[in-house]
């Protein structure tokens, strides 16, 4: 909890208008009640009215209940964006099939009429980061090249940047290897 108190103090001490900051956090709970309480406690401890982005940190027992709490908080204005992290395609599909509010990258993909992979590739190229996507699927290879007919806005670049968790991909659970057909 110290992290929320410190983050809230840093926001206040910065002197910057709140709307110029993009604050991301993760739900480290499972299920509706625990997550709903966790969101309110985190906001109170941080001394903030809203978070710009909240992610479900990792698939757990009750992801649908957890996401329902995030969606309600989003609709109430407590969260500006919601999403998931470390979910494989099947797990993400379960979320998108059951809720109206789609995770950030799905939302951006729909906005730009491209796939989530194309949005990520475009994000990286706009940031001048060299990208070498791997695929043996001809349709995916063609889609990977079709990223230069749109550009992400500065706000959308910031939304994607906020997803960066700054940790190694090693040690992922075996369920993450289900997406081997890319």
């Amino acid at each position: 909890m110290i992290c929320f108190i410190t983050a809230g103090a840093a926001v206040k001490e910065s002197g910057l208008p709140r709307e110029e900051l993009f604050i991301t956090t993760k739900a480290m709970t499972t299920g509706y009640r625990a997550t709903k309480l966790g969101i309110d406690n985190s906001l109170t401890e941080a001394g903030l009215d809203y978070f710009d982005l909240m992610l479900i940190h990792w698939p757990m027992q009750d992801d649908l209940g957890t996401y329902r709490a995030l969606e309600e908080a989003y609709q109430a204005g407590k969260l500006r964006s919601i999403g998931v992290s470390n979910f494989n395609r099947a797990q993400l599909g379960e979320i998108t099939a059951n809720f109206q509010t789609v995770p950030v990258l799905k939302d951006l993909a729909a906005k730009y009429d491209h796939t989530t992979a194309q949005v990520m590739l475009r994000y990286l190229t706009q940031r001048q980061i060299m990208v070498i996507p791997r695929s043996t699927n001809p349709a995916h290879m063609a889609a990977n090249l079709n990223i230069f007919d749109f550009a992400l806005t500065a706000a959308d670049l910031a939304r994607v940047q906020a997803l960066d968790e700054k940790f190694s991909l090693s040690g992922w659970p075996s369920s993450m290897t289900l997406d081997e057909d890319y």
Side-chain angles (χ1 to χ4, degrees):
M1 302 308 164
I2 187 81
C3 125
F4 290 117
I5 296 167
T6 303
V11 169
K12 287 183 177 96
E13 290 176 22
S14 74
L16 294 171
R18 171 63 182 91
E19 59 274 3
E20 288 188 24
L21 301 172
F22 195 97
I23 301 173
T24 303
T25 189
K26 293 182 183 176
M28 302 292 285
T29 53
T30 186
Y32 176 77
R33 284 187 178 153
T35 303
K36 188 172 172 127
L37 181 62
I39 292 167
D40 290 338
N41 287 344
S42 296
L43 287 169
T44 299
E45 289 169 13
L48 299 172
D49 296 327
Y50 66 93
F51 289 117
D52 296 285
L53 172 64
M54 182 173 272
L55 302 168
I56 298 177
H57 176 65
W58 200 267
M60 294 173 78
Q61 287 179 317
D62 184 9
D63 297 325
L64 295 180
T66 302
Y67 201 83
R68 181 168 58 109
L70 265 61
E71 185 174 61
E72 286 181 10
Y74 168 78
Q75 292 166 344
K78 296 176 183 180
L79 307 173
R80 298 288 168 92
S81 300
I82 59 176
V84 299
S85 127
N86 303 309
F87 278 54
N88 65 34
R89 187 180 315 177
Q91 293 160 332
L92 180 59
E94 183 179 29
I95 296 291
T96 59
N98 285 284
F99 294 95
Q100 293 179 342
T101 309
V102 296
V104 173
L105 286 178
K106 285 278 192 185
D107 187 34
L108 292 181
K111 175 181 178 180
Y112 291 102
D113 194 29
H114 283 72
T115 67
T116 55
Q118 288 172 310
V119 168
M120 283 307 303
L121 290 171
R122 184 62 192 169
Y123 164 79
L124 293 167
T125 57
Q126 275 187 240
R127 300 231 16 248
Q128 298 181 340
I129 297 170
M130 183 181 283
V131 181
I132 306 173
R134 176 192 168 270
S135 181
T136 57
N137 181 316
H140 292 172
M141 292 165 59
N144 290 344
L145 294 172
N146 186 23
I147 62 167
F148 298 104
D149 60 342
F150 73 105
L152 300 175
T153 66
D156 289 339
L157 286 169
R159 288 177 76 190
V160 176
Q161 178 64 35
L163 300 173
D164 184 4
E165 298 173 12
K166 297 179 177 45
F167 69 88
S168 171
L169 299 180
S170 65
W172 278 32
S174 60
S175 65
M176 297 309 292
T177 62
L178 296 175
D179 291 341
E180 290 295 324
D181 67 341
Y182 55 90

